[in-house]
């Protein structure tokens, strides 16, 4: 099967979307001449011209705010925030404006924009360049939220997201860009559907973004110990496909939620509460969570690596869930 | 000779003031949704003057004190008051209210309750017009308070950098809520600030609606050609910040002096000089009062939203069938302008 890097798959998705929708305009810091801080938009300026791939000043609020206004008036902007950590500077435009405009205005005005960014640990980028802030986005009604775990999903999700009528936050993982994955868009489930990345009957892992990879690796090791894990990759956090999650949990009776964002009031809290509420009669054990530690991300590679779930810690949690430890 | 323009502008000023009066009435009768009602009494000339200078395809955003601008732009006072009452027949189905009123068809991209929140949107709209080759301008209305908000300066810089068809209009009523402008801003040289970004700057008094309209017409034409601009219009907030505020922090003499600069009286005097009789004026006043009374009754009587509507409009209903690019643009621009070869 064909292989592709996560970065190239994103670029291909953007490029094909721009070819078929001439209203897509990319706005962001260093997206044009520099080619994007992580190289995702490299070459797009040359193909589409500087009107449509626009380097902006280092002004996050207007970068997102202009995208909101442009989306209201006919364009489909893709605003790139170099790091999701910089969302703090654009939070009003995302949360009070983009997310609420359709509702506040009684359904009259759409905001078909995308906010692309990347987060997560893995590069010793320290506390202001390594966070996983998806819970803030998921906490805001009116936004879609996609978090692809591999190249195929990077491609199919970005393409679909660029046809939606409402604002989409598209969060990539900095640790995945350079990795190669099998590339098979035909195999991908539709938008809003989770995928079973590995099938097993003993317990379920519910995860997304880079934690899918770690969960799969843990599952491979667990198989050697005789534990068969169902790995559910959520792909989008809004829409949230509880149907697939529930099906898996009812099959296995045990669920571990794995997220990179920090534990307290994080996505893992929401997911485990929902799994519990919706599968009250079906759970053999309480739902467990593995999440980032409740600390700012430290720069030390050793500390950074230990601050988020690892293959080993995921494996240990599953053993606990299976009462094998 | 009686000028038709003078008469029309006077009627518009009067409609705005009478409308705001009925908003107060709606509140007193217990019919308003909440008390966060920011009246533009005393600020009619900036609203009417600029709105009357706009072209049909132009768009705008306003601050929380935006009733007058929207009404002058052509809004239906019935649907406005119904929205302020939180009713289904309002412009936003009773979900936005006074501070979030909007109307796609009139190019109203929304009133905003975040001070400065709507300013970046006109920069984005300006980008749409530039890239889609639409001969329109997008206008941000905001108060003097937003002159101290950072996003204004990000917006000014980008509009100037990209030469977007954008106009920034500061309606300077001298106060934030209770904080006087000179207690909030180290410098009052707002036009200079704008000019330092490369914008065209203009300062006018908000007393004479005809002067405002003339200045706005001129500056809008420059903006339309890709020379973004800033206008500061000085006026005085006649009453409290919101419906319940009695402005105890303001000096009485100051208030009396401020209220003497009344744009409606100013325009009435002009019309009298042109030869309009008192009895003629009375007829106009009666007509406007009737229009706004009818709107008030409508707002009070029209039905509440159904509870189910609470869950509607969070997301577009038809996610599985994305709209075609062409129809999306048509809808967004409420017009037929595009020739399709903009890239
Ligand atoms: C970001 C933000 N900060 C504070 C407020 C609270 N607030 C509402 S109106 C207002 C004063 C605004 O003054 P100005 O911009 O001059 O407008 P005016 O009310 O005078 O028309 C304040 C502080 C708010 N709504 N939004
Ligand atoms: Mg003010």
């Amino acid at each position: 099967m064909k292989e592709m890097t996560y970065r190239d798959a994103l670029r291909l998705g953007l490029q094909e979307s721009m070819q078929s929708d001439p209203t897509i305009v990319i706005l962001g810091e260093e997206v044009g001449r520099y080619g994007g801080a992580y190289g995702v938009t490299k070459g797009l300026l040359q193909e589409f011209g500087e009107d449509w791939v626009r380097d902006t000043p280092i002004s996050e609020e207007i970068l997102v705010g202009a995208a909101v206004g442009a989306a209201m008036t006919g364009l489909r902007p893709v605003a790139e925030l170099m790091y999701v950590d910089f969302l703090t500077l654009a939070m009003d435009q995302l949360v009070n404006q983009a997310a609420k405009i359709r509702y506040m205005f009684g359904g009259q005005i759409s905001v078909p924009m995308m906010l692309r960014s990347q987060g997560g640990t893995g590069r010793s980028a320290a506390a202001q360049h390594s966070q996983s802030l998806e819970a803030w986005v998921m906490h805001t009604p009116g936004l879609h939220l996609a978090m692809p775990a591999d190249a195929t999903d990077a491609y199919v999700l970005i393409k679909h997201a660029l046809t939606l009528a409402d604002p989409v936050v598209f969060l990539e993982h900095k640790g995945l860009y350079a990795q190669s994955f099998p590339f098979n868009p035909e195999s991908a489930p539709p938008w809003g559907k989770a995928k079973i990345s590995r099938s097993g009957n003993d317990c379920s892992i519910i995860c997304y973004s880079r934690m899918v990879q770690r969960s799969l690796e843990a599952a491979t090791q667990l198989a050697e110990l005789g534990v068969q894990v169902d790995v559910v990759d959520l792909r989008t956090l809004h829409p949230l496909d509880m149907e697939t999650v529930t099906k898996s949990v009812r099959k296995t009776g045990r669920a571990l939620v794995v997220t990179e964002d920090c534990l307290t009031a994080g996505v893992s809290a929401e997911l485990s509460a929902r799994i519990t509420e919706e599968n009250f009669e079906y759970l053999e054990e309480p739902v467990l969570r593995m999440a980032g530690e409740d600390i700012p991300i430290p720069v030390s590679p050793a500390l950074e690596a230990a601050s988020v779930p690892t293959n080993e810690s995921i494996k240990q949690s599953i053993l606990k869930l299976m009462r094998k430890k | 000779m009686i000028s038709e323009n003078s008469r029309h502008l006077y009627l518009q000023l009067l409609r705005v003031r009478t409308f705001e009066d009925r908003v107060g009435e709606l509140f007193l009768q217990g019919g308003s949704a909440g008390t966060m009602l920011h009246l533009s009494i005393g600020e009619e000339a900036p609203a009417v003057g600029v709105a009357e200078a706009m072209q049909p395809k132009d768009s705008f955003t306003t601050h929380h004190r935006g009733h007058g601008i929207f009404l002058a732009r052509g809004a239906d006072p019935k649907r406005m008051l119904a929205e302020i009452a939180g009713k289904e027949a309002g412009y936003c189905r009773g979900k936005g209210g006074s501070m979030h009123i909007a109307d796609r068809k009139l190019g109203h991209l929304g009133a905003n309750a975040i001070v400065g929140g709507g300013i970046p949107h006109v920069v984005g709209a300006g980008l749409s017009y530039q890239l889609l080759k639409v001969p329109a301008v997008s206008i941000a209305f905001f108060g003097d308070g937003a002159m101290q908000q950072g996003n204004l300066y990000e917006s000014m810089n980008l509009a100037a950098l990209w030469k977007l068809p954008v106009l920034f209009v500061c309606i300077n009523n001298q106060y934030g809520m209770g904080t006087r402008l000179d207690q909030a801003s180290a410098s009052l040289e707002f036009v200079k600030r704008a000019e330092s970004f490369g914008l065209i700057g203009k300062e006018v008094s908000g007393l004479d609606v005809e002067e405002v309209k003339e200045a706005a017409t001129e500056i809008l034409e420059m903006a339309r050609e890709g020379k973004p601009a800033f206008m500061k219009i000085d006026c005085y907030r006649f009453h409290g910040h919101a419906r319940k505020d009695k402005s105890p922090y303001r000096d009485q003499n100051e208030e009396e002096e401020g209220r003497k600069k009344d744009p409606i009286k100013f325009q009435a005097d002009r019309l009298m000089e042109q030869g309009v009789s008192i009895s003629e004026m009375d007829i106009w006043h009666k007509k406007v009062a009737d229009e706004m009374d009818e709107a008030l009754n409508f707002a009070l009587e029209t039905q509440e939203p159904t509870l189910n509507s609470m869950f509607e409009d969070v997301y577009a209903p038809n996610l599985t069938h994305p709209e075609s690019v062409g129809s999306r643009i048509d809808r967004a621009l409420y017009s037929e302008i595009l020739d399709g070869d903009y890239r």
Side-chain angles (χ1 to χ4, degrees):
Chain A
M1 191 189 296
K2 201 172 153 191
E3 295 245 323
M4 198 179 296
T5 64
Y6 190 77
R7 172 192 288 129
D8 288 347
L10 287 163
R11 186 187 308 112
L12 183 65
L14 278 171
Q15 182 190 22
E16 290 181 5
S17 299
M18 289 181 82
Q19 285 163 350
S20 63
D21 180 348
T23 67
I24 295 177
V25 55
I26 297 183
L27 307 170
E29 294 158 19
E30 313 295 352
V31 295
R33 290 166 194 85
Y34 192 91
Y38 282 88
V40 173
T41 53
K42 192 164 259 148
L44 297 180
L45 169 71
Q46 287 69 23
E47 179 172 349
F48 297 101
E50 44 182 50
D51 274 354
W52 300 92
V53 180
R54 306 179 77 101
D55 286 320
T56 67
I58 308 166
S59 309
E60 283 76 12
E61 186 170 0
I62 185 61
L63 153 57
V64 178
V68 174
M72 283 197 272
T73 49
L75 295 178
R76 183 183 286 285
V78 177
E80 175 176 321
L81 273 185
M82 200 184 280
Y83 286 79
V84 76
D85 311 70
F86 310 159
L87 190 56
T88 50
L89 293 142
M91 209 59 177
D92 179 60
Q93 289 300 323
L94 181 68
V95 173
N96 281 324
Q97 314 296 339
K100 296 180 172 54
I101 280 173
R102 174 183 299 285
Y103 194 82
M104 292 193 299
F105 303 164
Q108 294 180 71
I109 301 181
S110 307
V111 185
M113 66 173 279
M114 174 181 287
L115 180 63
R116 267 191 60 236
S117 194
Q118 56 79 23
T121 57
R123 292 180 58 89
S124 272
Q128 297 172 340
H129 287 74
S130 304
Q131 294 169 89
S132 298
L133 298 177
E134 56 269 21
W136 295 359
V137 179
M138 199 184 179
H139 194 65
T140 304
L143 300 175
H144 291 281
L145 174 55
M147 297 192 70
D150 57 38
T152 297
D153 275 346
Y155 170 82
V156 298
L157 292 178
I158 205 165
K159 283 196 77 169
H160 188 92
L162 287 172
T163 64
L164 296 174
D166 292 302
V168 189
V169 178
F170 198 91
L171 296 181
E172 299 151 18
H173 197 292
K174 62 169 74 60
L176 296 176
Y177 283 133
Q179 294 191 36
S180 278
F181 296 85
F183 187 69
N184 184 12
E186 287 74 42
S187 72
W191 174 264
K193 278 284 162 201
K195 98 179 155 199
I196 307 297
S197 298
R198 179 192 175 103
S199 224
N201 288 325
D202 296 333
C203 60
S204 304
I205 294 182
I206 318 302
C207 53
Y208 55 89
S209 191
R210 188 179 54 169
M211 287 301 133
V212 174
Q213 199 169 48
R214 298 211 168 159
S215 300
L216 287 172
E217 280 163 21
T220 306
Q221 294 171 22
L222 284 158
E224 286 163 22
L225 304 176
V227 178
Q228 302 304 331
V229 183
D230 221 35
V231 177
V232 182
D233 172 1
L234 291 171
R235 304 169 75 236
T236 56
L237 296 182
H238 186 102
L240 180 60
D241 180 14
M242 280 309 293
E243 201 183 305
T244 300
V245 172
T246 292
K247 223 160 140 191
S248 168
V249 171
R250 290 189 182 181
K251 177 176 75 174
T252 63
R254 292 178 178 83
L256 170 70
V257 177
V258 182
T259 73
E260 186 166 342
D261 77 325
C262 63
L263 183 80
T264 300
V267 173
S268 64
E270 177 63 32
L271 292 174
S272 70
R274 288 215 193 188
I275 293 167
T276 305
E277 286 164 0
E278 294 180 23
N279 301 285
F280 200 63
E281 309 276 324
Y282 297 85
L283 288 165
E284 306 277 345
E285 299 287 352
V287 178
L288 290 189
R289 298 190 274 162
M290 276 300 301
E293 299 292 345
D294 286 324
I295 56 172
I297 307 294
V299 74
S300 143
L303 298 181
E304 181 194 40
S307 74
V308 297
T310 60
N311 303 352
E312 184 56 28
S313 67
I314 295 169
K315 185 175 126 195
Q316 293 305 323
S317 294
I318 291 289
L319 291 175
K320 183 173 167 193
L321 194 60
M322 297 303 297
R323 307 257 177 196
K324 296 209 165 183
K325 189 194 143 189
Chain B
M1 223 200 45
I2 301 162
S3 143
E4 181 46 39
N5 183 49
S6 301
R7 191 184 85 102
H8 174 72
L9 290 174
Y10 178 70
L11 278 174
Q12 287 287 62
L13 294 173
L14 195 62
R15 288 178 74 238
V16 171
R17 182 158 304 178
T18 313
F19 178 86
E20 296 290 45
D21 177 71
R22 297 305 186 273
V23 175
E25 192 60 31
L26 182 69
F27 162 77
L28 290 173
Q29 296 196 26
S32 67
T35 63
M36 294 186 87
L37 306 167
H38 307 88
L39 305 187
S40 60
I41 295 176
E43 308 179 21
E44 295 89 350
V48 172
V50 181
E52 287 283 340
M54 285 163 66
Q55 296 295 317
K57 289 189 168 90
D58 295 346
S59 65
F60 62 105
T61 63
T62 80
H63 56 335
H64 52 281
R65 203 178 300 283
H67 299 162
I69 299 157
F70 187 27
L71 188 69
R73 171 66 169 172
D76 173 358
K78 280 195 200 143
R79 292 186 65 202
M80 280 187 75
L81 273 171
E83 185 58 37
I84 293 167
K87 300 289 186 71
E88 173 72 33
Y91 271 100
C92 306
R93 309 185 62 199
K95 288 177 179 165
S98 165
M99 297 192 292
H100 305 303
I101 204 158
D103 181 36
R104 192 171 53 75
K105 295 201 183 79
L106 289 173
H108 191 353
L109 302 180
N112 221 293
I114 302 297
V115 170
I119 298 172
H121 305 166
V122 308
V123 177
L127 180 63
S128 288
Y129 302 153
Q130 186 184 73
L131 289 179
L132 301 174
K133 304 191 185 359
V134 180
V137 181
S138 196
I139 300 143
F141 293 91
F142 48 88
D144 45 287
M147 289 302 301
Q148 277 60 250
Q149 192 69 289
N151 70 2
L152 173 63
Y153 300 102
E154 294 189 14
S155 298
M156 284 183 167
N157 178 54
L158 203 64
L161 183 72
W162 289 353
K163 303 185 173 42
L164 301 176
V166 163
L167 173 63
F168 300 96
V169 177
C170 172
I171 300 182
N172 173 21
N173 65 6
Q174 321 288 339
Y175 279 85
M177 293 169 64
T179 304
R180 215 175 49 224
L181 183 54
D182 61 311
Q183 296 159 339
S185 185
S187 151
L188 303 181
E189 308 254 26
F190 295 166
V191 169
K192 272 196 194 160
R193 280 191 206 171
E195 285 171 346
S196 79
F197 283 93
L199 298 176
I200 293 168
K202 180 107 190 161
E203 183 162 350
V204 287
S205 151
L207 180 62
D208 180 357
V209 68
E210 298 196 8
E211 192 186 328
V212 175
K213 183 181 169 186
E214 225 167 273
T217 304
E218 198 179 307
I219 213 160
L220 273 169
E221 285 329 297
M222 292 193 268
R224 206 174 302 282
E225 283 158 25
K227 295 184 196 115
F230 167 77
M231 241 180 126
K232 168 175 176 266
I233 313 177
D234 295 317
C235 54
Y236 191 74
R237 193 188 78 204
F238 280 15
H239 301 293
H241 166 70
R243 193 57 194 82
K244 284 193 144 174
D245 172 34
K246 303 220 162 15
S247 315
Y249 43 83
R250 297 205 298 202
D251 182 86
Q252 269 223 293
N253 289 335
E254 179 200 293
E255 288 203 334
E256 273 162 30
E257 283 308 305
R259 288 184 193 137
K260 278 187 194 153
K261 297 192 200 102
D262 184 341
I264 297 196
K265 184 159 180 314
F266 187 90
Q267 189 68 357
D269 290 347
R270 174 181 278 143
L271 283 165
M272 303 280 229
E273 269 170 37
Q274 289 178 2
V276 176
S277 68
I278 303 245
S279 62
E280 218 168 336
M281 285 250 181
D282 285 345
I283 294 170
W284 299 347
H285 280 239
K286 169 86 170 60
K287 211 176 128 203
V288 170
D290 287 349
E291 181 195 10
M292 298 307 164
D293 282 339
E294 198 192 326
L296 176 61
N297 287 334
F298 176 77
L300 287 167
E301 279 159 24
T302 184
Q303 66 191 17
E304 302 285 346
T306 60
L307 286 185
N308 264 346
S309 74
M310 173 164 78
F311 300 107
E312 293 163 4
D313 306 322
V314 183
Y315 293 91
N318 228 347
L319 286 180
T320 47
H321 302 291
E323 223 176 341
S324 78
V325 172
S327 70
R328 174 167 54 76
I329 301 177
D330 279 352
R331 200 163 45 70
L333 292 173
Y334 46 91
S335 70
E336 68 307 324
I337 306 169
L338 296 161
D339 44 18
D341 62 348
Y342 34 87
R343 183 180 281 165

